Each structure stands twice: as C-alpha cells, then as structure tokens.
Amino acid sequence: MAAQMVKRVVIAGGGTAGWIAAAALIKQLGPLIDVTLVESDEIGTVGVGESTIPTTRAFHGFLGIYEQAFVRATTSTFKLGIEFENWNRIGDKYFHAFGSVGKSVWMADFQHFWLEAKRQGFGGDYGDYSLEQQAAMAGKFATSDQAAIGYAYHLDATAYAKFLRGLAEPAGVKRIEGKIEQVEQDPETGFVTALVLQSGDRIEGDLFIDCTGFRALLIEQTLKTGFDDWSEWLSTNAAAVVQTTSTGPARPYTRAIAHEAGWRWQIPLQHRVGNGLVYCSDYMSDDEASAKLLADSEGEALFEPRLLRFKAGARKQAWNKNVIAMGLSSGFIEPLESTSIHLIKIAVTRLIQSFPFSGVTESAVERFNAQSRKEAEHIRDFIILHYKLTERDDSPFWRRCRDMAIPDSLAERIALFRDNAAAYQGADEMFRIDSWIMVMMGQGIEPRAYHHIAQMMEPAKLKQALTDLKSGIAAELTRLPQHQQFVESYAGA
C-alpha cells in the first residue's frame, strides 16, 4: 500500500454520517488535519435514524456537546428503551430497557437469583427490577449529572445534521456545495485522488470518507469492494415513512409493533411523531405498506408516505485503499434496535484512535475491518434473534422467520441461555447481557436450568433482597416528573 502522508481528509456526502464524522475529526484532530466536506443541498437525508442508544451520550461528551442545547436544537425527547408488541405472539408485549436490571454478584448475574425466586413462588416480573422499564411505563423521566438512569434520545435526523454542522464549520471544517460527478484514482495504486464536481471543481485529498448513503459512490461504485448479503436472515427490504402530528404527551420510549409482513415504529419528538413501516416486499406491496402505515399511525400525516429500499448486509471491507465507508454506504442491518447512528460514531472514533498520519498501511486497515465486521455481525445476530424467536404462524413472513436456519454464532447464544440461563457480552460487543436476556425472555425462552448460587441464600433473605430492589425503584419513581413535563422545562423547542 502507498505510504503517502495523510493530512487532507475529504468527506463525500453530508447528512447524519457526514457531519458526525466531520465534527468528531475536527474536534479531536483539528490542528493536525484539514477536513473538507462535499455535499449537495439537492440530496436529502434518508432520515430513518431518528432513534439512538445510550452510547450517544458518551460520544456527545467526547465532542463537548451540551445536552440541553442539543435537545433544544434537535427537538429531541428521551428514550428509556423499546416496547415490542406482537413479536412472539399476537397480543404479547415486552420491554427492552436500557440500564441494568436488578443487582448481579461477581459469581452470577441477577437472572439466576430471579429464577430461583420464581421457583420458590415469588419475585414477580423480571422488568419489576428495571428502573428504566418502570419509569417508561409510568411515562416518567428526568436527568441530571448524578442521574443513575440509562437513556438515549429520539431526535430529528435532519436537525441533528444541521446541529453538528453548526459545531464543525466554526471549528474549521470546510464545506463545499456541489454534486460529485467523477471520482479520480491513481492509475497504479487505485487510491482515490480527487472528487470532480459538476461545476468542474476538483477536490483533492489523501483520505476519503464515503458518506454517500446507499449509493456508496466511492466504496462500491468506484472501488468495487463487494457486499455480504444478509437478507436470508433479515428479509425485510423496504420501509414506508411518514411524520404525523402529536396526539398526546411524548412517551419516553420507542414502540416496535410487529405486523403480518414486518413491523412498524413510532418515535415521539417534541413537535411531531416519526412513523415507519418496515416490510418484506415478497409479502406486502408498496401501496399496501403505505395504506397500512397511514391507517395505523396516530395523528395527522404531515406529508405522503415516502418509500425506502434497502438490503440487509455489510460491505466486505469498511476500509478499502484510502476510502472508509461510514453510515449507509458501509451497509445496513435494520432499523429495529436503532444501531445505525451508533455504528457511524464507533467507526469515526476508531478512525481517530488509529489515524494513518504517516500513510495508509495494510495492518491498520485489516485491524479496522476486523473490528467493524465483528461489531456488525454482533448487531446482526441480535436483530435476527427478534425474528427467529417467534411462535407466530399467522402469515408466510413469520413462518419463514420462525423456520429459518440462523448463524452458528447466534444459535450458540440461544442454546446457552435456554440450557443454563447464561448470557455474555464480548469485549467489542455493543449489546449488554441485560439486553440479550430481556429480548430472549421477552420472546418466550424459559431457561431449563440456572446457577444454584441463589439457593445458598435463605428464602427470607432472597425475598427481602428483591423487595428492597423494588422499593428502591418505587422511591426513585416518586421523585421523577412526567417525561413531557421534564422535556418542556428542560429544553422545550
């Protein structure tokens, strides 16, 4: 590989991915590099990612973002988790909460104690021991520097890109308006050397970040990197999206409601609600999807539903030659667990940590790609879990999901939990043990066995310990205001 010094970073495309990359690079490496972002006002943001996970808060700290200013600018609300409806069986509900559940000891996680309590005839529901779930169900929320509550945001993706641009440009990012017409490459190495715009302007660079969305203009159209198709497991391939007026107080959680050919989301912001209907086009037409979305959404539609096409999968290499794909150009797993924005943030963080100042090297590229791949496969498995663990047989779509073969990596996790009530989180994995447990139990797995350490506690002590946990959560809830009330006082738009 060429060992050309890297100083000029060119970001192709704006939107959420482009401006996250620009803001992070200039904040952390500003004096060492030049950052140019090329985007066209004519190309809009896809805007699927209106929901985040708690890692966003740490990333905002990394950028020095003041939360109230961010919430106000993006008309955000707060998110304590996701409520899943109709996934295992029609009429079923469960909650995937942020934060931790109960209290674990070094020898065994909380679920083992809870399962022992259930065996003895007490203990209630697993979600009784999650502050986040109880607050969500009560419609309550508040945060402070001392907050022990796990949360993320619902945000307006277009406003978020604009907010990040407002941080990045004054810090030194140069924005160039224009459409990319041609990508120039070095004839010997194949490295990208410049972007040629419709205006005729040439933007030269040493390192290029592809944020051109599904078009993947640099990573795929130019470098022919290749794509691993995961649609055998994740067969949804389209979404109809619409925004509606708010009809009541904003819930502090996302709703994910399964239907006969996929699922739909409901994401409340301060000024409106984001709705989307994800479906598999083998089992539902575009017209049916749009009609169903409008019929099932609350409030008045603010425009006609927009249709999006996608294919679940990942680029064979996120980093190829001197091009790094971020956002939709690197692949798309599914909007189900709101991981798209997280993957952009983790990619740019990793780039900052291993920035190739002295030139792009094979070893750095291989390490970056291995980590990216591992992360994407971990998220892929977690999403497949929701579809595979279903008892629904009311439609061909759900029968296909229930009966499909799944990756060995996921089959092993399911077996481990079913046999021993055990779950784990690897060093580079995003989803925590609590998340795996909540989804696996929510989707109907009842472990056959569990760790017997809880049997060493006298029944009265175990009962008291669980009662104390519940009492602590109840006391915390009395101190929390209603979510809508908190949002209005904290940073109303």
Side-chain angles (χ1 to χ4, degrees):
M1 286 205 175
Q4 179 185 328
M5 300 292 280
V6 174
K7 181 164 176 72
R8 300 167 300 172
V9 178
V10 178
I11 300 169
T16 311
W19 286 110
I20 285 174
L25 285 164
I26 205 72
K27 171 73 177 177
Q28 298 298 328
L29 303 178
L32 302 171
I33 57 175
D34 300 323
V35 182
T36 302
L37 184 144
V38 180
E39 71 173 340
S40 168
D41 287 332
E42 292 173 41
I43 301 171
T45 301
V46 171
V48 173
E50 297 207 312
S51 192
T52 61
I53 58 174
T55 53
T56 289
R57 291 163 53 206
F59 186 81
H60 282 181
F62 180 61
L63 295 189
I65 289 173
Y66 180 52
E67 185 180 73
Q68 272 179 286
F70 152 75
V71 170
R72 192 174 291 120
T74 56
T75 64
S76 293
T77 59
F78 296 90
K79 174 183 173 182
L80 293 166
I82 306 171
E83 184 176 62
F84 289 91
E85 303 171 40
N86 303 330
W87 282 79
N88 185 30
R89 290 184 296 255
I90 293 173
D92 279 5
K93 275 187 188 181
Y94 72 92
F95 199 82
H96 170 200
F98 298 143
S100 54
V101 183
K103 203 169 184 180
S104 298
V105 296
W106 73 271
M107 280 284 285
D109 295 317
F110 175 72
Q111 73 271 17
H112 300 284
F113 294 86
W114 178 78
L115 286 163
E116 174 60 20
K118 292 286 278 183
R119 186 188 71 82
Q120 293 184 28
F122 59 90
D125 292 329
Y126 189 70
D128 291 350
Y129 304 95
S130 161
L131 168 61
E132 290 75 14
Q133 180 170 335
Q134 296 309 309
M137 295 300 98
K140 292 186 156 197
F141 181 82
T143 182
S144 68
D145 293 341
Q146 292 80 41
I149 201 161
Y151 67 92
Y153 310 102
H154 297 129
L155 54 83
D156 179 324
T158 306
Y160 188 41
K162 190 177 170 187
F163 174 76
L164 292 167
R165 178 181 170 183
L167 300 177
E169 283 192 289
V173 172
K174 183 183 179 187
R175 178 190 182 272
I176 295 175
E177 163 68 30
K179 276 189 175 174
I180 302 165
E181 189 151 87
Q182 192 190 337
V183 179
E184 292 183 358
Q185 291 172 271
D186 183 293
E188 286 180 23
T189 63
F191 274 41
V192 172
T193 54
L195 306 179
V196 183
L197 308 187
Q198 272 183 351
S199 62
D201 290 348
R202 285 179 76 257
I203 317 299
E204 295 183 353
D206 308 314
L207 186 73
F208 291 80
I209 299 178
D210 188 341
C211 297
T212 61
F214 289 128
R215 289 176 302 145
L217 183 61
L218 280 65
I219 197 76
E220 196 57 56
Q221 289 187 39
T222 303
L223 295 181
K224 310 284 189 270
T225 301
F227 183 80
D228 285 329
D229 185 343
W230 292 340
S231 53
E232 64 178 294
W233 304 302
L234 297 168
S235 58
T236 56
N237 57 6
V241 298
V242 74
Q243 295 164 5
T244 55
T245 54
S246 303
T247 58
R251 295 182 181 93
Y253 57 92
T254 302
R255 290 177 75 197
I257 306 151
H259 60 78
E260 67 270 24
W263 63 282
R264 68 181 173 91
W265 74 74
Q266 197 180 68
I267 296 173
L269 303 185
Q270 290 177 40
H271 61 307
R272 61 167 172 81
V273 177
N275 305 274
L277 188 124
V278 178
Y279 58 103
C280 175
S281 60
D282 293 352
Y283 304 108
M284 183 174 273
S285 72
D286 296 346
D287 289 345
E288 286 174 317
S290 294
K292 182 168 179 57
L293 175 63
L294 290 173
D296 292 348
S297 296
E298 299 162 8
E300 187 185 325
L302 300 175
F303 50 76
E304 284 297 306
R306 294 179 189 142
L307 291 173
L308 305 170
R309 302 260 176 249
F310 58 85
K311 183 184 277 187
R315 212 60 60 195
K316 287 186 183 293
Q317 295 170 276
W319 187 339
N320 186 4
K321 300 190 185 291
N322 65 334
V323 172
I324 302 169
M326 291 187 193
L328 299 175
S329 63
S330 70
F332 187 61
I333 300 172
E334 241 253 30
L336 187 58
E337 284 277 358
S338 318
T339 54
S340 292
I341 291 175
H342 164 81
L343 284 170
I344 301 164
K345 291 174 175 174
I346 201 77
V348 74
T349 303
R350 190 180 302 119
L351 172 60
I352 290 165
Q353 290 168 338
S354 58
F355 195 85
F357 295 103
S358 303
V360 174
T361 62
E362 210 167 308
S363 55
V365 171
E366 282 177 2
R367 172 72 176 144
F368 187 96
N369 285 332
Q371 287 179 292
S372 299
R373 169 50 58 125
K374 206 170 173 186
E375 237 156 36
E377 288 178 351
H378 168 70
I379 292 170
R380 175 202 69 190
D381 284 1
F382 190 66
I383 304 298
I384 296 169
L385 180 72
H386 299 68
Y387 287 103
K388 174 64 178 175
L389 295 182
T390 185
E391 294 173 45
R392 287 184 65 155
D393 63 358
D394 56 292
S395 69
F397 172 78
W398 286 107
R399 289 194 289 273
R400 172 179 168 175
C401 293
R402 181 195 63 191
D403 297 339
M404 67 182 165
I406 56 174
D408 291 344
S409 48
L410 175 58
E412 287 160 11
R413 282 190 191 260
I414 292 173
L416 185 67
F417 189 72
R418 187 170 269 138
D419 295 341
N420 306 292
Y424 62 91
Q425 179 184 16
D428 293 328
E429 294 178 349
M430 188 188 82
F431 286 107
R432 298 170 311 111
I433 290 169
D434 301 88
S435 295
W436 283 96
I437 292 168
M438 288 191 132
V439 174
M440 287 197 279
M441 290 205 297
Q443 300 263 162
I445 294 186
E446 293 182 9
R448 297 180 184 124
Y450 54 90
H451 200 297
H452 287 182
I453 190 169
Q455 292 180 9
M456 293 166 65
M457 286 180 84
E458 294 169 23
K461 281 191 174 171
L462 179 58
K463 202 171 211 172
Q464 188 60 53
L466 295 185
T467 300
D468 290 348
L469 283 170
K470 279 189 186 176
S471 301
I473 288 171
E476 194 67 39
L477 285 182
T478 60
R479 290 193 285 270
L480 292 177
Q482 289 298 305
H483 172 244
Q484 183 71 38
Q485 178 193 336
F486 177 77
V487 169
E488 287 168 6
S489 64
Y490 187 67

